[in-house]
Amino acid sequence: MELRDLGFGDLDELGPVAQWPVGRLFALAAQKSGPVFAKLVEHTGVSPSGFLVLRALNGRDGQRPSDLARTLMVSPATLTTVADTLARYGHVERRRDEHDRRVVRLHITETGRGLVAVTSERLQPYFWELYDVVDEADEPAVRRFLLSLITRFDAVLGEIDIDEILQRATSPPTDAPS
């Protein structure tokens, strides 16, 4: 497969969107999902990241920030900033672990639970409508594609040392003049 078939290079060369390769279409849909989600939750007064933290804690309260950051695929620093804002508005609390006082855990408050409940109830019909685009006959093929892609992504993520990549990306090239 050529790079052009994967959607790299000049997108105008690919022609109309309906003719793009499936991988490129998936990338475009994934790219648009973030802004759509942000638009749907903007009325809550909480950022999309904040809402995702609240939903995660609503499902499993008392998580360590580092574990929650890993689950949400954000940096610990980003999670700390989001948690600070949520705490300032009374949606989460930081509490010491009962068994290990060195450990701090994030807990959703009743205010946070209320925000998640009301927002989820309001948004559920929109999410059903947004994602109800696959014909029943096509669902097995779409499911196989997505599960295969998730498996490949997981394999790549397991092989990658993200710290090494970030260091290489921020270090000057080795052949650069000194």
Side-chain angles (χ1 to χ4, degrees):
M1 181 177 287
E2 296 183 30
L3 282 179
R4 182 194 169 286
D5 294 333
L6 294 173
F8 289 96
D10 185 359
L11 294 180
D12 291 335
E13 290 179 13
L14 294 176
V17 172
Q19 297 174 4
W20 285 9
V22 171
R24 185 62 189 115
L25 289 172
F26 175 79
L28 179 62
Q31 182 181 27
K32 289 180 180 263
S33 69
V36 168
F37 179 72
K39 184 177 178 91
L40 289 173
V41 300
E42 70 184 359
H43 74 280
T44 65
V46 175
S47 71
S49 297
F51 186 72
L52 290 174
V53 167
L54 290 174
R55 283 203 40 180
L57 291 172
N58 196 48
R60 198 175 85 200
D61 198 19
Q63 295 186 57
R64 292 182 341 172
S66 58
D67 295 337
L68 187 54
R70 200 171 11 266
T71 298
L72 296 176
M73 295 185 281
V74 298
S75 72
T78 296
L79 186 81
T80 296
T81 301
V82 172
D84 287 346
T85 302
L86 292 171
R88 189 168 44 252
Y89 288 102
H91 300 309
V92 299
E93 296 174 343
R94 288 181 173 92
R95 293 187 217 144
R96 296 270 176 209
D97 187 281
E98 296 173 2
H99 305 290
D100 185 347
R101 302 290 299 158
R102 297 171 297 176
V103 175
V104 174
R105 297 190 177 275
L106 291 175
H107 294 271
I108 190 167
T109 63
E110 286 306 311
T111 304
R113 284 189 198 285
L115 181 68
V116 169
V118 167
T119 302
S120 296
E121 185 177 316
R122 286 183 188 163
L123 295 183
Q124 187 174 9
Y126 295 111
F127 281 116
W128 281 113
E129 186 178 316
L130 271 173
Y131 288 102
D132 188 25
V133 294
V134 178
D135 291 333
E136 194 173 323
D138 296 333
E139 189 173 328
V142 173
R143 181 177 301 282
R144 280 192 310 275
F145 166 73
L146 291 172
L147 289 172
S148 295
L149 195 57
I150 290 166
T151 299
R152 285 183 180 194
F153 286 168
D154 285 346
V156 169
L157 290 172
E159 294 171 5
I160 291 176
D161 180 352
I162 195 68
D163 292 327
E164 180 184 328
I165 290 173
L166 290 173
Q167 183 181 20
R168 278 190 283 160
T170 58
S171 299
T174 55
D175 60 343
S178 36

